[in-house]
Amino acid sequence: MKHQAIREQLLETVVKANEVGLIRLSAGNISVRTSKNLAAITPTGVKYRQMKVDDISIVDLDGHLIDGLAPSSETPMHTAIYRDLPEVGGICHTHSSYAITFSMLEEEIPPANLELFACGAPIPVAPWACTGTQKIGEVTVEIFKSRPDLKVVLLDKHGLVAIGRDLDHAYEMALNAEVGLRTYHQALVVGKPQSLTDDQLEEIKAAYSK
Ligand SMILES: [Zn+2]
Protein backbone atom coordinates (compact mmCIF):
# COMPACT_ATOMS: atom_id res chain seq x y z
CA MET A 1 0.00 0.00 0.00
CA LYS A 2 1.22 3.49 -0.84
CA HIS A 3 2.20 5.83 1.99
CA GLN A 4 1.68 3.06 4.58
CA ALA A 5 3.67 4.66 7.41
CA ILE A 6 2.07 8.08 7.10
CA ARG A 7 -1.44 6.55 6.89
CA GLU A 8 -0.72 4.58 10.07
CA GLN A 9 0.46 7.78 11.79
CA LEU A 10 -2.71 9.57 10.69
CA LEU A 11 -4.94 6.75 11.97
CA GLU A 12 -3.12 6.79 15.33
CA THR A 13 -3.86 10.52 15.59
CA VAL A 14 -7.51 9.89 14.66
CA VAL A 15 -7.79 7.32 17.49
CA LYS A 16 -6.21 9.75 20.00
CA ALA A 17 -8.42 12.65 18.86
CA ASN A 18 -11.52 10.46 19.09
CA GLU A 19 -10.62 9.30 22.61
CA VAL A 20 -10.30 12.86 23.91
CA GLY A 21 -13.47 14.07 22.18
CA LEU A 22 -11.82 16.32 19.60
CA ILE A 23 -13.52 14.38 16.80
CA ARG A 24 -16.51 12.04 17.01
CA LEU A 25 -18.70 9.96 14.66
CA SER A 26 -17.48 11.42 11.36
CA ALA A 27 -17.37 15.09 12.43
CA GLY A 28 -14.02 16.83 12.05
CA ASN A 29 -11.13 15.73 9.86
CA ILE A 30 -7.37 15.42 10.08
CA SER A 31 -4.66 15.49 7.40
CA VAL A 32 -0.91 15.32 6.98
CA ARG A 33 1.28 16.47 4.10
CA THR A 34 2.99 13.44 2.57
CA SER A 35 5.10 15.31 -0.01
CA LYS A 36 5.22 18.70 -1.70
CA ASN A 37 2.09 17.90 -3.72
CA LEU A 38 0.25 15.18 -1.80
CA ALA A 39 -1.61 14.86 1.47
CA ALA A 40 -3.23 12.03 3.43
CA ILE A 41 -6.66 12.90 4.86
CA THR A 42 -9.47 11.16 6.71
CA PRO A 43 -12.14 9.82 4.31
CA THR A 44 -15.70 11.10 4.13
CA GLY A 45 -18.54 9.38 5.94
CA VAL A 46 -16.47 6.77 7.81
CA LYS A 47 -17.00 6.75 11.56
CA TYR A 48 -13.68 7.29 13.32
CA ARG A 49 -14.08 4.28 15.58
CA GLN A 50 -14.33 2.01 12.54
CA MET A 51 -11.66 3.59 10.35
CA LYS A 52 -8.85 1.39 8.95
CA VAL A 53 -5.43 2.31 7.64
CA ASP A 54 -6.24 1.63 3.99
CA ASP A 55 -9.42 3.77 4.23
CA ILE A 56 -7.23 6.88 4.59
CA SER A 57 -7.41 8.99 1.41
CA ILE A 58 -4.37 10.21 -0.47
CA VAL A 59 -5.10 13.34 -2.52
CA ASP A 60 -3.12 15.80 -4.58
CA LEU A 61 -3.31 19.46 -3.58
CA ASP A 62 -6.10 20.06 -6.10
CA GLY A 63 -8.16 17.51 -4.17
CA HIS A 64 -7.99 14.68 -6.73
CA LEU A 65 -8.10 11.23 -5.15
CA ILE A 66 -4.89 9.24 -5.64
CA ASP A 67 -5.59 6.28 -3.36
CA GLY A 68 -7.96 5.13 -0.61
CA LEU A 69 -11.62 6.03 -0.03
CA ALA A 70 -13.26 9.31 -1.12
CA PRO A 71 -11.69 12.11 0.94
CA SER A 72 -13.37 14.28 3.57
CA SER A 73 -15.91 16.81 2.24
CA GLU A 74 -13.71 19.45 3.87
CA THR A 75 -10.69 18.53 1.73
CA PRO A 76 -10.82 21.90 -0.14
CA MET A 77 -9.94 23.71 3.12
CA HIS A 78 -7.01 21.37 3.83
CA THR A 79 -5.60 21.54 0.29
CA ALA A 80 -5.92 25.35 0.20
CA ILE A 81 -3.86 25.59 3.39
CA TYR A 82 -1.17 23.18 2.08
CA ARG A 83 -1.00 25.01 -1.27
CA ASP A 84 -0.67 28.49 0.20
CA LEU A 85 1.24 27.81 3.43
CA PRO A 86 4.21 25.59 2.53
CA GLU A 87 5.45 25.45 6.14
CA VAL A 88 2.29 23.62 7.25
CA GLY A 89 2.78 19.85 7.59
CA GLY A 90 -0.42 18.84 9.41
CA ILE A 91 -3.99 20.07 9.93
CA CYS A 92 -6.52 19.12 12.59
CA HIS A 93 -10.08 20.39 12.05
CA THR A 94 -12.51 19.68 14.88
CA HIS A 95 -16.16 20.17 15.73
CA SER A 96 -15.22 20.05 19.40
CA SER A 97 -17.69 21.42 21.95
CA TYR A 98 -15.90 24.53 23.18
CA ALA A 99 -14.63 25.51 19.74
CA ILE A 100 -18.22 25.42 18.45
CA THR A 101 -19.46 27.27 21.53
CA PHE A 102 -17.08 30.21 21.17
CA SER A 103 -17.29 30.28 17.36
CA MET A 104 -20.98 31.12 17.73
CA LEU A 105 -20.13 34.31 19.64
CA GLU A 106 -18.05 35.63 16.70
CA GLU A 107 -15.65 37.32 19.13
CA GLU A 108 -11.87 37.08 19.28
CA ILE A 109 -10.55 34.91 22.15
CA PRO A 110 -7.88 36.68 24.28
CA PRO A 111 -4.69 34.99 25.54
CA ALA A 112 -6.26 34.26 28.92
CA ASN A 113 -4.22 31.15 29.78
CA LEU A 114 -1.08 29.29 28.65
CA GLU A 115 -3.01 26.92 26.37
CA LEU A 116 -4.57 29.79 24.43
CA PHE A 117 -1.23 31.59 24.35
CA ALA A 118 0.38 28.44 22.84
CA CYS A 119 -2.17 28.56 20.01
CA GLY A 120 -1.13 32.13 19.18
CA ALA A 121 -4.09 33.88 20.87
CA PRO A 122 -5.85 36.22 20.39
CA ILE A 123 -7.70 33.59 18.36
CA PRO A 124 -9.98 35.10 15.70
CA VAL A 125 -13.25 33.76 14.31
CA ALA A 126 -13.08 33.53 10.53
CA PRO A 127 -15.88 35.19 8.54
CA TRP A 128 -18.76 32.82 7.79
CA ALA A 129 -18.10 30.32 5.01
CA CYS A 130 -20.10 27.12 4.43
CA THR A 131 -18.52 23.77 5.21
CA GLY A 132 -17.04 21.98 2.19
CA THR A 133 -16.56 25.12 0.08
CA GLN A 134 -13.46 26.69 -1.43
CA LYS A 135 -14.38 29.86 0.46
CA ILE A 136 -13.72 28.28 3.85
CA GLY A 137 -10.17 27.57 2.68
CA GLU A 138 -9.74 31.12 1.39
CA VAL A 139 -10.90 32.86 4.59
CA THR A 140 -8.77 30.55 6.74
CA VAL A 141 -5.63 30.95 4.64
CA GLU A 142 -6.03 34.73 4.62
CA ILE A 143 -6.02 34.85 8.42
CA PHE A 144 -3.08 32.45 8.86
CA LYS A 145 -1.05 34.39 6.26
CA SER A 146 -1.61 37.66 8.10
CA ARG A 147 -0.72 36.15 11.51
CA PRO A 148 2.42 33.95 11.19
CA ASP A 149 2.40 32.96 14.91
CA LEU A 150 -1.25 31.94 14.88
CA LYS A 151 -1.91 28.17 14.92
CA VAL A 152 -5.69 28.06 15.51
CA VAL A 153 -8.65 29.80 13.89
CA LEU A 154 -12.29 29.39 14.93
CA LEU A 155 -14.73 28.71 12.09
CA ASP A 156 -18.00 30.61 12.47
CA LYS A 157 -20.74 28.38 14.04
CA HIS A 158 -18.67 25.34 13.10
CA GLY A 159 -15.50 24.51 15.09
CA LEU A 160 -11.77 25.13 14.76
CA VAL A 161 -8.89 24.50 12.42
CA ALA A 162 -5.40 23.97 13.85
CA ILE A 163 -2.21 23.91 11.79
CA GLY A 164 1.25 22.68 12.70
CA ARG A 165 4.70 22.05 11.26
CA ASP A 166 3.77 18.34 11.38
CA LEU A 167 0.80 16.20 12.37
CA ASP A 168 1.69 15.96 16.09
CA HIS A 169 2.06 19.73 16.30
CA ALA A 170 -1.34 20.32 14.66
CA TYR A 171 -2.96 17.78 17.03
CA GLU A 172 -1.37 19.46 20.06
CA MET A 173 -2.62 22.87 18.91
CA ALA A 174 -6.19 21.55 18.49
CA LEU A 175 -6.08 19.95 21.95
CA ASN A 176 -4.53 23.05 23.55
CA ALA A 177 -7.23 25.21 21.98
CA GLU A 178 -10.06 23.02 23.22
CA VAL A 179 -8.63 22.85 26.77
CA GLY A 180 -7.88 26.59 26.72
CA LEU A 181 -11.43 27.37 25.56
CA ARG A 182 -13.03 24.98 28.08
CA THR A 183 -11.20 26.56 30.99
CA TYR A 184 -11.86 30.06 29.65
CA HIS A 185 -15.55 29.16 29.54
CA GLN A 186 -15.40 27.85 33.12
CA ALA A 187 -13.80 31.11 34.23
CA LEU A 188 -16.55 33.09 32.48
CA VAL A 189 -19.17 31.04 34.35
CA VAL A 190 -17.69 31.72 37.79
CA GLY A 191 -16.29 35.20 37.30
CA LYS A 192 -14.46 37.55 34.96
CA PRO A 193 -11.29 35.98 33.49
CA GLN A 194 -8.31 38.27 33.09
CA SER A 195 -6.17 38.12 29.97
CA LEU A 196 -2.41 37.69 30.34
CA THR A 197 -0.82 41.14 30.52
CA ASP A 198 1.86 42.28 28.08
CA ASP A 199 4.50 41.83 30.82
CA GLN A 200 3.26 38.32 31.58
CA LEU A 201 3.30 37.45 27.88
CA GLU A 202 6.92 38.63 27.64
CA GLU A 203 7.83 36.53 30.68
CA ILE A 204 6.23 33.44 29.15
CA LYS A 205 7.97 33.99 25.81
CA ALA A 206 11.31 34.30 27.63
CA ALA A 207 10.61 31.14 29.66
CA TYR A 208 9.64 29.14 26.56
CA SER A 209 12.68 30.31 24.62
CA LYS A 210 15.06 28.81 27.21
ZN1 LIG B 1 -16.15 20.88 9.76
Side-chain angles (χ1 to χ4, degrees):
M1 188 173 58
K2 289 180 200 160
H3 311 288
Q4 172 86 15
I6 209 147
R7 283 167 135 166
E8 286 174 1
Q9 188 201 3
L10 182 52
L11 188 62
E12 274 174 32
T13 306
V14 163
V15 170
K16 279 193 298 184
N18 189 248
E19 282 172 358
V20 298
L22 280 176
I23 58 174
R24 67 191 184 284
L25 301 175
S26 56
N29 32 80
I30 303 177
S31 70
V32 56
R33 191 194 288 273
T34 63
S35 66
K36 188 163 176 282
N37 297 310
L38 292 179
I41 185 164
T42 45
T44 186
V46 180
K47 295 205 169 95
Y48 291 116
R49 291 173 71 89
Q50 292 148 12
M51 197 170 285
K52 298 188 293 295
V53 172
D54 51 1
D55 293 342
I56 302 287
S57 318
I58 305 292
V59 295
D60 68 21
L61 296 193
D62 292 318
H64 300 117
L65 182 66
I66 306 295
D67 198 22
L69 298 181
S72 163
S73 60
E74 292 179 297
T75 297
M77 175 175 69
H78 292 251
T79 51
I81 292 171
Y82 289 128
R83 280 197 309 270
D84 289 351
L85 299 165
E87 70 279 14
V88 173
I91 300 169
C92 194
H93 162 54
T94 77
H95 295 198
S96 44
S97 299
Y98 289 89
I100 299 174
T101 301
F102 281 98
S103 75
M104 293 187 288
L105 302 183
E106 300 179 342
E107 284 174 14
E108 196 171 71
I109 308 297
N113 56 48
L114 291 184
E115 278 69 21
L116 294 170
F117 167 79
C119 301
I123 297 175
V125 183
W128 166 255
C130 186
T131 177
T133 59
Q134 294 285 343
K135 190 183 169 198
I136 202 164
E138 288 164 16
V139 296
T140 310
V141 163
E142 193 176 321
I143 293 172
F144 281 128
K145 271 193 162 174
S146 69
R147 298 266 312 272
D149 293 334
L150 186 65
K151 300 300 170 209
V152 174
V153 167
L154 293 178
L155 304 175
D156 193 6
K157 306 173 191 76
H158 181 168
L160 66 78
V161 58
I163 57 172
R165 59 185 169 274
D166 54 27
L167 183 56
D168 283 346
H169 189 212
Y171 171 78
E172 284 168 20
M173 290 300 110
L175 186 53
N176 270 329
E178 187 65 10
V179 171
L181 290 170
R182 174 159 48 85
T183 48
Y184 182 57
H185 172 263
Q186 287 170 179
L188 285 167
V189 170
V190 295
K192 187 171 183 296
Q194 303 299 312
S195 185
L196 288 160
T197 66
D198 288 346
D199 286 348
Q200 290 166 346
L201 290 168
E202 288 309 314
E203 274 185 81
I204 294 166
K205 281 176 198 165
Y208 281 174
S209 70
K210 277 180 191 159

PDB file of all heavy atoms in Angstrom, residues 27-29 73-74 77 93-95 131-132 136 155 158-160, ligand 1:
ATOM      1  N   ALA A  27     -17.499  13.620  12.413  1.00  0.00           N
ATOM      2  CA  ALA A  27     -17.367  15.085  12.431  1.00  0.00           C
ATOM      3  C   ALA A  27     -15.939  15.501  12.756  1.00  0.00           C
ATOM      4  O   ALA A  27     -15.361  15.025  13.732  1.00  0.00           O
ATOM      5  CB  ALA A  27     -18.310  15.687  13.472  1.00  0.00           C
ATOM      6  N   GLY A  28     -15.410  16.408  11.934  1.00  0.00           N
ATOM      7  CA  GLY A  28     -14.016  16.827  12.055  1.00  0.00           C
ATOM      8  C   GLY A  28     -13.183  16.006  11.092  1.00  0.00           C
ATOM      9  O   GLY A  28     -13.630  14.956  10.599  1.00  0.00           O
ATOM     10  N   ASN A  29     -12.001  16.474  10.787  1.00  0.00           N
ATOM     11  CA  ASN A  29     -11.127  15.732   9.865  1.00  0.00           C
ATOM     12  C   ASN A  29      -9.688  16.160  10.073  1.00  0.00           C
ATOM     13  O   ASN A  29      -9.409  17.276  10.505  1.00  0.00           O
ATOM     14  CB  ASN A  29     -11.577  15.898   8.409  1.00  0.00           C
ATOM     15  CG  ASN A  29     -12.209  17.234   8.143  1.00  0.00           C
ATOM     16  OD1 ASN A  29     -11.512  18.215   7.963  1.00  0.00           O
ATOM     17  ND2 ASN A  29     -13.540  17.282   8.196  1.00  0.00           N
ATOM     18  N   SER A  73     -15.247  15.714   2.984  1.00  0.00           N
ATOM     19  CA  SER A  73     -15.906  16.808   2.241  1.00  0.00           C
ATOM     20  C   SER A  73     -15.202  18.134   2.499  1.00  0.00           C
ATOM     21  O   SER A  73     -15.391  19.098   1.766  1.00  0.00           O
ATOM     22  CB  SER A  73     -17.375  16.901   2.658  1.00  0.00           C
ATOM     23  OG  SER A  73     -17.458  17.168   4.049  1.00  0.00           O
ATOM     24  N   GLU A  74     -14.390  18.197   3.558  1.00  0.00           N
ATOM     25  CA  GLU A  74     -13.706  19.449   3.869  1.00  0.00           C
ATOM     26  C   GLU A  74     -12.268  19.463   3.322  1.00  0.00           C
ATOM     27  O   GLU A  74     -11.462  20.326   3.700  1.00  0.00           O
ATOM     28  CB  GLU A  74     -13.783  19.721   5.374  1.00  0.00           C
ATOM     29  CG  GLU A  74     -15.246  20.011   5.722  1.00  0.00           C
ATOM     30  CD  GLU A  74     -15.539  20.277   7.185  1.00  0.00           C
ATOM     31  OE1 GLU A  74     -15.336  19.401   8.024  1.00  0.00           O
ATOM     32  OE2 GLU A  74     -16.005  21.398   7.454  1.00  0.00           O
ATOM     33  N   MET A  77     -10.585  22.844   2.121  1.00  0.00           N
ATOM     34  CA  MET A  77      -9.943  23.708   3.116  1.00  0.00           C
ATOM     35  C   MET A  77      -8.509  23.225   3.390  1.00  0.00           C
ATOM     36  O   MET A  77      -7.576  24.029   3.431  1.00  0.00           O
ATOM     37  CB  MET A  77     -10.746  23.703   4.416  1.00  0.00           C
ATOM     38  CG  MET A  77     -10.076  24.476   5.539  1.00  0.00           C
ATOM     39  SD  MET A  77     -11.107  24.576   7.009  1.00  0.00           S
ATOM     40  CE  MET A  77     -11.095  22.886   7.573  1.00  0.00           C
ATOM     41  N   HIS A  93      -8.847  19.597  12.040  1.00  0.00           N
ATOM     42  CA  HIS A  93     -10.083  20.386  12.048  1.00  0.00           C
ATOM     43  C   HIS A  93     -11.101  19.660  12.916  1.00  0.00           C
ATOM     44  O   HIS A  93     -11.400  18.494  12.674  1.00  0.00           O
ATOM     45  CB  HIS A  93     -10.604  20.555  10.624  1.00  0.00           C
ATOM     46  CG  HIS A  93     -12.037  20.970  10.566  1.00  0.00           C
ATOM     47  ND1 HIS A  93     -12.516  22.079  11.232  1.00  0.00           N
ATOM     48  CD2 HIS A  93     -13.110  20.420   9.957  1.00  0.00           C
ATOM     49  CE1 HIS A  93     -13.814  22.180  11.019  1.00  0.00           C
ATOM     50  NE2 HIS A  93     -14.198  21.183  10.260  1.00  0.00           N
ATOM     51  N   THR A  94     -11.596  20.344  13.942  1.00  0.00           N
ATOM     52  CA  THR A  94     -12.509  19.682  14.882  1.00  0.00           C
ATOM     53  C   THR A  94     -13.844  20.413  15.001  1.00  0.00           C
ATOM     54  O   THR A  94     -13.913  21.633  14.834  1.00  0.00           O
ATOM     55  CB  THR A  94     -11.891  19.588  16.299  1.00  0.00           C
ATOM     56  OG1 THR A  94     -11.987  20.865  16.941  1.00  0.00           O
ATOM     57  CG2 THR A  94     -10.431  19.147  16.255  1.00  0.00           C
ATOM     58  N   HIS A  95     -14.864  19.628  15.316  1.00  0.00           N
ATOM     59  CA  HIS A  95     -16.162  20.166  15.726  1.00  0.00           C
ATOM     60  C   HIS A  95     -16.267  19.910  17.231  1.00  0.00           C
ATOM     61  O   HIS A  95     -17.226  19.311  17.700  1.00  0.00           O
ATOM     62  CB  HIS A  95     -17.305  19.465  15.007  1.00  0.00           C
ATOM     63  CG  HIS A  95     -17.351  19.671  13.525  1.00  0.00           C
ATOM     64  ND1 HIS A  95     -18.475  19.433  12.778  1.00  0.00           N
ATOM     65  CD2 HIS A  95     -16.416  20.084  12.638  1.00  0.00           C
ATOM     66  CE1 HIS A  95     -18.229  19.690  11.499  1.00  0.00           C
ATOM     67  NE2 HIS A  95     -16.977  20.077  11.388  1.00  0.00           N
ATOM     68  N   THR A 131     -19.351  24.964   5.202  1.00  0.00           N
ATOM     69  CA  THR A 131     -18.516  23.770   5.208  1.00  0.00           C
ATOM     70  C   THR A 131     -18.417  23.155   3.802  1.00  0.00           C
ATOM     71  O   THR A 131     -19.386  23.146   3.053  1.00  0.00           O
ATOM     72  CB  THR A 131     -19.084  22.730   6.209  1.00  0.00           C
ATOM     73  OG1 THR A 131     -18.301  21.559   6.143  1.00  0.00           O
ATOM     74  CG2 THR A 131     -20.529  22.379   5.926  1.00  0.00           C
ATOM     75  N   GLY A 132     -17.229  22.684   3.461  1.00  0.00           N
ATOM     76  CA  GLY A 132     -17.040  21.981   2.192  1.00  0.00           C
ATOM     77  C   GLY A 132     -16.756  22.874   1.000  1.00  0.00           C
ATOM     78  O   GLY A 132     -16.551  22.385  -0.113  1.00  0.00           O
ATOM     79  N   ILE A 136     -14.166  28.511   2.470  1.00  0.00           N
ATOM     80  CA  ILE A 136     -13.718  28.283   3.846  1.00  0.00           C
ATOM     81  C   ILE A 136     -12.186  28.162   3.869  1.00  0.00           C
ATOM     82  O   ILE A 136     -11.526  28.578   4.816  1.00  0.00           O
ATOM     83  CB  ILE A 136     -14.434  27.066   4.474  1.00  0.00           C
ATOM     84  CG1 ILE A 136     -14.387  27.159   5.989  1.00  0.00           C
ATOM     85  CG2 ILE A 136     -13.884  25.748   4.001  1.00  0.00           C
ATOM     86  CD1 ILE A 136     -15.373  26.256   6.703  1.00  0.00           C
ATOM     87  N   LEU A 155     -13.887  28.616  13.281  1.00  0.00           N
ATOM     88  CA  LEU A 155     -14.730  28.708  12.092  1.00  0.00           C
ATOM     89  C   LEU A 155     -16.149  29.006  12.549  1.00  0.00           C
ATOM     90  O   LEU A 155     -16.705  28.282  13.387  1.00  0.00           O
ATOM     91  CB  LEU A 155     -14.688  27.391  11.309  1.00  0.00           C
ATOM     92  CG  LEU A 155     -13.296  26.920  10.887  1.00  0.00           C
ATOM     93  CD1 LEU A 155     -13.387  25.543  10.226  1.00  0.00           C
ATOM     94  CD2 LEU A 155     -12.651  27.926   9.946  1.00  0.00           C
ATOM     95  N   HIS A 158     -19.123  26.577  13.738  1.00  0.00           N
ATOM     96  CA  HIS A 158     -18.672  25.336  13.100  1.00  0.00           C
ATOM     97  C   HIS A 158     -17.630  24.583  13.952  1.00  0.00           C
ATOM     98  O   HIS A 158     -17.835  23.424  14.279  1.00  0.00           O
ATOM     99  CB  HIS A 158     -18.096  25.745  11.726  1.00  0.00           C
ATOM    100  CG  HIS A 158     -17.604  24.632  10.877  1.00  0.00           C
ATOM    101  ND1 HIS A 158     -17.285  24.819   9.550  1.00  0.00           N
ATOM    102  CD2 HIS A 158     -17.324  23.343  11.137  1.00  0.00           C
ATOM    103  CE1 HIS A 158     -16.877  23.673   9.039  1.00  0.00           C
ATOM    104  NE2 HIS A 158     -16.879  22.760   9.980  1.00  0.00           N
ATOM    105  N   GLY A 159     -16.541  25.225  14.349  1.00  0.00           N
ATOM    106  CA  GLY A 159     -15.498  24.514  15.085  1.00  0.00           C
ATOM    107  C   GLY A 159     -14.173  25.246  14.981  1.00  0.00           C
ATOM    108  O   GLY A 159     -14.140  26.471  14.989  1.00  0.00           O
ATOM    109  N   LEU A 160     -13.085  24.482  14.872  1.00  0.00           N
ATOM    110  CA  LEU A 160     -11.773  25.127  14.757  1.00  0.00           C
ATOM    111  C   LEU A 160     -10.931  24.414  13.720  1.00  0.00           C
ATOM    112  O   LEU A 160     -11.174  23.258  13.367  1.00  0.00           O
ATOM    113  CB  LEU A 160     -11.047  25.144  16.111  1.00  0.00           C
ATOM    114  CG  LEU A 160     -10.587  23.830  16.763  1.00  0.00           C
ATOM    115  CD1 LEU A 160      -9.312  23.268  16.127  1.00  0.00           C
ATOM    116  CD2 LEU A 160     -10.338  24.044  18.249  1.00  0.00           C
TER     117      LEU A 160
HETATM  118 ZN    ZN B   1     -16.148  20.883   9.760  1.00  0.00          ZN
END
